[in-house]
Amino acid sequence: MATNSLALTGMPSTQPIPGDFVEVRFAQGQSAGDAGVKKVLLIGPKLSTGTITADTEIGGPYASSDEVSDVAGTGSVAHRMAKKFFQIAGAGGGAFELYILCPTESAGVAASGAITFATTPTGAGVASVIAAGVQYDYAYTASDTVTTVAAGLKAAINADVDAPFTADNSAGVLTLTAKIKGPEGNTIRLYGRTTPGTAVTASVTTSTAFSSGATATSYTNALATILGQKFDYIVPHCVDTTAIDAIKTQITTQALPATGYRQKVLNGQCVSASSAATLASGRNHERMDFANLESSEVECYVLGAAFAAVRVLQEVTDPSFNFDGYGTKGGTSLPIPAPSKKGDWFTNTELSTQLQSGVTPIGVDSRGNPYIVRSVTSRCLNGSNLDFRVRDSVRVCVADRLAADWIVRISTAGYSKLTSDPLNQGQEPDGNFATPRRGKAIAEQLVSDYCSNGWLDPGLKATMLAGISTAIDSNNASALVGTNNDTYAGLSTARGTYGGSWTGTWPTATSRAPPPPRGSSSHELPDPLPHPVPLRQPGDRQPQRAAGQAGHDEHAALRRVPRPRRPRDAPEP
């Protein structure tokens, strides 16, 4: 009987609980139909006006950002993330479901930014403030003062309830304050301008980040809430490494076979290339992707939601979708504004640095259109050495899809029992039995289907199929596990061998291969689903075995080994 030790991380060989368990192991090679709708979880604080319970209530599924606004508060982090997500991905049409979880707001300091308007206008013009990618205008005349100019802009800004900040004015000093406390507010940017030749001026004329936002939001309670649930995509608003590392620890454990929650974390950052490289390489995890756009005109969490929306939109139908240049290729767009400071657009050197360090950089083309340069995971190191075996995010997406499809197919195969493969072309057991051969056939068909869909490389199909093998776990006879080729009673259990070789003293021989099959080629391999097919059918010179007759006893096995024929003139032994 083919056996092998079941080595799934975190699962003992004596596991008594029945079920189908899969572990996806990345970077195992040389260095150098899926289960239902996708669930997306946005994690971001709510306003005090929000009705959802912080930390412990998962809201959704939602079909629009207005629904999120009703429970999280208009202009909250959670609402702004949902607004951008739905703008790009739409309502999903049944392909995905959007949920939110609102951790308790930081008890720290809200970020803020200010613009001072100086000199009374001498003529008509327009004063503008551009903040979080939105322009607010006030038309002034010579009868205005700097106080009325700033007051007019204050009114325009506060009328935009979707904005992530509120405005105040004091004698021409316009101050914008983030609605949510914490360092994420420091990624809001603003600048102002006025009509030339009208005397009035704005103190900040180039995009400048808010400042003073402090004390990170704790994710401890929120993560405890989702511990027992699976979300295919988790999109956290945070920028601090404490929360990011807590998420990493949880998703790593949850992805192990005993739980089997294979989840991806997509996070937005608005920092320099070197800072992003440090953050991503420090996490070095195949399930964590960081999109980065330095000096982004939208907040980091809005950038993260946009990145997530693009990924979800494409991956729900094609897990192998190629995101290289997404936003510049026909039919694709990344609807976020480019940084107004062209000097902050990434150079080729900076793009390369980030890609080498596990960052998905957002570039800007010559026409000012932001685009995804290449979607990569943060897995980039093996110790201190570069390791790009799981660089592209498509590798994780396809592997997770394959694992989910395997679970579906093996679960719906109708197996309720487990037995070993029949010996040397013996009759297949009835359809209630799972066997190593049948499990392998399901895996082979799945790989073939993925190659046909273009989700796996058809050029490597033969190699992938050759690498698939299954056996009964030697430590737990109720478990089916992948194994190398094995033998039992001198016979090979490798699929396709069907007979293998034998060594012994009966009949006189040292090693002899069995004769080739005599039946039609259509009956040489069993079809594992939906019903077993006998290796030979009546008329193939071998009558079918009567129902219920033993097929695995020693005498039956011996009868299938032909005696060597002696020449006509040879004496009797």
Side-chain angles (χ1 to χ4, degrees), residues 247-513:
I247 297 170
K248 172 186 172 181
T249 298
Q250 182 154 310
I251 64 165
T252 299
T253 301
Q254 294 297 85
L256 296 178
T259 303
Y261 291 167
R262 291 169 288 276
Q263 304 170 109
K264 291 175 283 292
V265 175
L266 307 178
N267 179 251
Q269 297 286 326
C270 307
V271 296
S272 66
S274 59
S275 295
T278 299
L279 173 67
S281 61
R283 312 291 78 77
N284 191 36
H285 199 281
E286 57 273 358
R287 296 193 175 279
M288 303 194 82
D289 298 4
F290 297 94
N292 184 48
L293 176 60
E294 184 177 3
S295 301
S296 168
E297 298 299 335
V298 296
E299 315 94 287
C300 62
Y301 46 83
V302 173
L303 174 65
F307 178 52
V310 166
R311 289 279 300 273
V312 173
L313 180 64
Q314 302 300 335
E315 289 176 349
V316 291
T317 55
D318 181 2
S320 65
F321 188 87
N322 182 0
F323 289 97
D324 294 358
Y326 192 96
T328 61
K329 298 186 294 187
T332 67
S333 66
L334 188 62
I336 57 174
S340 63
K341 297 169 65 175
K342 292 187 177 181
D344 287 340
W345 296 4
F346 292 130
T347 65
N348 285 339
T349 298
E350 290 172 324
L351 293 176
S352 178
T353 295
Q354 292 179 89
L355 289 170
Q356 296 282 79
S357 304
V359 180
T360 296
I362 307 299
V364 182
D365 67 15
S366 59
R367 295 172 295 178
N369 297 317
Y371 67 98
I372 296 172
V373 178
R374 182 176 181 178
S375 183
V376 301
T377 74
S378 60
R379 176 70 178 269
C380 59
L381 295 172
N382 182 5
S384 60
N385 299 318
L386 293 176
D387 182 359
F388 299 133
R389 288 174 293 174
V390 202
R391 166 185 273 179
D392 291 295
S393 56
V394 64
R395 292 181 179 271
V396 179
C397 188
V398 171
D400 283 352
R401 181 76 170 258
L402 187 72
D405 280 341
W406 159 261
I407 291 292
V408 170
R409 294 195 184 189
I410 202 72
S411 298
T412 57
Y415 300 138
S416 59
K417 305 173 184 178
L418 179 65
T419 188
S420 57
D421 289 326
L423 294 176
N424 194 25
Q425 303 180 3
Q427 181 178 348
E428 291 287 316
D430 68 40
N432 291 324
F433 283 91
T435 66
R437 186 182 300 160
R438 288 174 175 173
K440 182 180 180 184
I442 292 176
E444 289 175 334
Q445 185 59 57
L446 189 58
V447 168
S448 296
D449 290 346
Y450 270 50
C451 289
S452 297
N453 291 337
W455 299 349
L456 291 175
D457 186 351
L460 297 176
K461 178 179 176 180
T463 301
M464 289 185 282
L465 291 178
I468 298 173
S469 58
T470 55
I472 303 296
D473 178 22
S474 59
N475 294 319
N476 184 356
S478 63
L480 189 65
V481 62
T483 181
N484 294 324
N485 293 343
D486 200 353
T487 60
Y488 176 65
L491 301 178
S492 171
T493 61
R495 186 179 184 192
T497 302
Y498 292 99
S501 61
W502 60 271
T503 301
T505 59
W506 183 95
T508 304
T510 56
S511 179
R512 183 185 297 274

Side-chain angles (χ1 to χ4, degrees), residues 155-171:
I157 291 169
N158 288 337
D160 179 12
V161 294
D162 288 349
F165 42 68
T166 57
D168 202 1
N169 164 48
S170 176

Side-chain angles (χ1 to χ4, degrees), residues 117 119-121 126-128 137-141 144-155 169 172 174 194 200-201:
F117 291 92
T119 309
T120 300
V126 177
S128 301
D137 297 325
Y138 174 72
Y140 55 80
T141 66
D144 275 297
T145 65
V146 291
T147 298
T148 59
V149 169
L153 286 167
K154 169 188 171 180
N169 164 48
L174 182 70
T194 57
V200 65
T201 60

Side-chain angles (χ1 to χ4, degrees), residues 14-301:
T14 56
Q15 163 72 310
I17 303 174
D20 303 315
F21 304 95
V22 172
E23 178 177 10
V24 177
R25 296 181 181 178
F26 295 100
Q28 297 300 298
Q30 295 297 315
S31 295
D34 197 14
V37 299
K38 299 301 181 184
K39 296 175 66 176
V40 182
L41 179 68
L42 306 181
I43 304 180
K46 70 182 185 72
L47 298 178
S48 59
T49 56
T51 59
I52 193 171
T53 303
D55 286 328
T56 60
E57 182 180 354
I58 298 173
Y62 298 111
S64 71
S65 61
D66 288 341
E67 294 181 4
V68 176
S69 172
D70 291 340
V71 298
T74 306
S76 65
V77 170
H79 171 232
R80 287 184 61 78
M81 293 174 75
K83 183 177 180 180
K84 179 56 69 174
F85 186 92
F86 281 119
Q87 176 193 348
I88 296 174
F96 64 80
E97 295 176 342
L98 184 77
Y99 298 81
I100 67 166
L101 176 60
C102 299
T104 298
E105 181 186 3
S106 164
V109 180
S112 62
I115 298 177
T116 299
F117 291 92
T119 309
T120 300
T122 58
V126 177
S128 301
V129 169
I130 298 87
V134 177
Q135 180 170 318
Y136 305 94
D137 297 325
Y138 174 72
Y140 55 80
T141 66
S143 62
D144 275 297
T145 65
V146 291
T147 298
T148 59
V149 169
L153 286 167
K154 169 188 171 180
I157 291 169
N158 288 337
D160 179 12
V161 294
D162 288 349
F165 42 68
T166 57
D168 202 1
N169 164 48
S170 176
V173 179
L174 182 70
T175 301
L176 277 59
T177 303
K179 290 180 178 178
I180 298 292
K181 304 181 192 70
E184 292 77 19
N186 295 332
T187 64
I188 302 173
R189 304 183 72 86
L190 85 164
Y191 60 99
R193 59 187 175 216
T194 57
T195 301
T198 59
V200 65
T201 60
S203 61
V204 179
T205 56
T206 59
S207 182
T208 302
F210 279 26
S211 61
S212 301
T215 308
T217 299
S218 171
Y219 268 48
T220 301
N221 294 333
L223 289 176
T225 296
I226 63 173
L227 182 62
Q229 301 189 48
K230 176 191 175 183
F231 294 92
D232 298 279
Y233 299 88
I234 298 175
V235 190
H237 89 296
C238 55
V239 295
D240 68 292
T241 56
T242 299
I244 290 173
D245 286 339
I247 297 170
K248 172 186 172 181
T249 298
Q250 182 154 310
I251 64 165
T252 299
T253 301
Q254 294 297 85
L256 296 178
T259 303
Y261 291 167
R262 291 169 288 276
Q263 304 170 109
K264 291 175 283 292
V265 175
L266 307 178
N267 179 251
Q269 297 286 326
C270 307
V271 296
S272 66
S274 59
S275 295
T278 299
L279 173 67
S281 61
R283 312 291 78 77
N284 191 36
H285 199 281
E286 57 273 358
R287 296 193 175 279
M288 303 194 82
D289 298 4
F290 297 94
N292 184 48
L293 176 60
E294 184 177 3
S295 301
S296 168
E297 298 299 335
V298 296
E299 315 94 287
C300 62
Y301 46 83

